[in-house]
Amino acid sequence: MARRTTDPGGRVEKAVSWTIKNLDGVVATGAALIIGLLDIFDQNVDDNVTSGATLLVLAALVFGTLTERRRRIADIREATTGTRHALEDLTMVRSLSGAELERALEQARQNTDHWIFKGGTGTYLRAVTLPVCVREAQRQRRSLSMKIDIVNPADDQACAAYARFRQTFAHRLDVVPPDAWSADRTRKESFATVLAACWYRQRLDTLEIGVHLSSVVPTLRFDLSASCLIITQDDPRRVNLLVERNRPLYDYYVTELHQSREQAVTLDLIRTEPLGEEPTVDEVHRLFDGLGLPLPAAFTDRDVSDIIDKALHPENPYRR
């Protein structure tokens, strides 16, 4: 059995350091002890035994005070550290409401070289985020990476579930939408986002874009840029959240969003059918056939034209 070794030099250094920090108490304690012992054992002063004992008690009290002071300092440091951590946690997430949300999204789009989105069908993404980010990348002549995670339009159950979820909060909107959410609308919106991603990819060589189709219905939307993460939802009565980069929560969600994409269907956009400035119905059919995501047979030419319009001429759904 190995013997436990000690460092005498280290113990001496700690003792000296403690003595220096508590020099006043050490001197008082030493003086009280010396005087008390002399008074007690002085044979010529046998009437002062009580006084000596009192000094000994005072010395013990001084030592106790030193110990208590040391304990209090440690408690204060611990409390200060806890308070500092609590304040950091409070500032980790900032709430957004009303116009603050649009300003935060606008700032997040500035000078970002990547964007990660996870949500329902990406309506706001293709109406604002995608075209603005592409335009800025073209203007600054830099690369842009985008990852999009939306509801799988080929999954009927997922589309129906998402439509039910959106209908839950439809009555809280200030403006009644022209068309209510349904499984068919969800399907078209997701197809439109895929089409928009392919269309913009063919017009910006430095755009690296990935589309992932999920069968899990999201209740929140995540927009992650190089500067922050913005979490929004469909209920306008609830606040939205902003997490700055270099915060632990930002890094947590980077991993979370990556894992979500890993469990989704990934589309191969490397070799897609060419699309004109105003894609035709036939071009769109060939595009989705090539992606292994054919449009439903029940879709008419009018339905396909509706998808094209949603993809390339979308309206900001949150414009007041």
Side-chain angles (χ1 to χ4, degrees), residues 106 109-110 125-138 142 144 200:
E106 182 179 356
R109 291 190 293 264
Q110 294 177 355
L125 174 82
R126 66 173 181 273
V128 181
T129 304
L130 180 56
V132 170
C133 287
V134 168
R135 186 164 60 247
E136 284 299 304
Q138 290 173 329
R142 57 170 169 75
L144 174 65
Y200 280 104

Side-chain angles (χ1 to χ4, degrees), residues 135-320:
R135 186 164 60 247
E136 284 299 304
Q138 290 173 329
R139 185 180 65 84
Q140 300 181 27
R141 296 186 177 184
R142 57 170 169 75
S143 62
L144 174 65
S145 173
M146 299 195 75
K147 300 184 185 301
I148 303 171
D149 188 346
I150 57 176
V151 172
N152 189 346
D155 190 325
D156 294 338
Q157 291 184 348
C159 291
Y162 183 73
R164 288 194 300 271
F165 170 73
R166 291 300 299 266
Q167 289 173 355
T168 302
F169 302 105
H171 66 285
R172 296 189 178 184
L173 297 175
D174 295 335
V175 179
V176 179
D179 53 337
W181 278 94
S182 63
D184 188 60
R185 179 185 173 184
T186 301
R187 193 175 296 110
K188 286 183 179 180
E189 298 284 353
S190 286
F191 275 125
T193 299
V194 176
L195 177 59
C198 295
W199 190 87
Y200 280 104
R201 185 181 182 278
Q202 293 181 9
R203 278 148 186 81
L204 180 61
D205 293 337
T206 58
L207 173 61
E208 178 186 349
I209 190 166
V211 178
H212 308 266
L213 307 178
S214 176
S215 293
V216 178
V217 176
T219 59
L220 299 172
R221 286 187 296 266
F222 301 88
D223 286 277
L224 188 145
S225 73
S227 60
C228 66
L229 163 68
I230 298 176
I231 305 174
T232 56
Q233 50 190 327
D234 295 305
D235 187 350
R237 296 184 181 181
R238 297 192 176 186
V239 297
N240 306 292
L241 304 176
L242 182 144
V243 182
E244 298 287 350
R245 189 177 179 177
N246 298 325
R247 296 292 185 180
L249 194 58
Y250 179 96
D251 297 329
Y252 295 162
Y253 272 109
V254 169
T255 303
E256 177 69 19
L257 295 175
H258 173 77
Q259 287 300 107
S260 177
R261 295 192 302 272
E262 288 292 308
Q263 300 174 53
V265 176
T266 303
L267 295 180
D268 184 6
L269 306 184
I270 296 179
R271 296 180 180 85
T272 55
E273 291 293 320
L275 297 168
E277 290 299 318
E278 290 292 333
T280 65
V281 171
D282 290 338
E283 287 177 346
V284 173
H285 271 291
R286 289 196 298 268
L287 173 76
F288 282 107
D289 288 342
L291 291 173
L293 187 69
L295 296 173
F299 273 17
T300 63
D301 289 352
R302 184 175 180 178
D303 292 324
V304 179
S305 297
D306 190 24
I307 292 174
I308 296 172
D309 189 59
K310 289 177 179 292
L312 304 183
H313 309 288
E315 294 183 1
N316 184 348
Y318 307 112
R319 179 174 294 169
R320 302 274 178 168

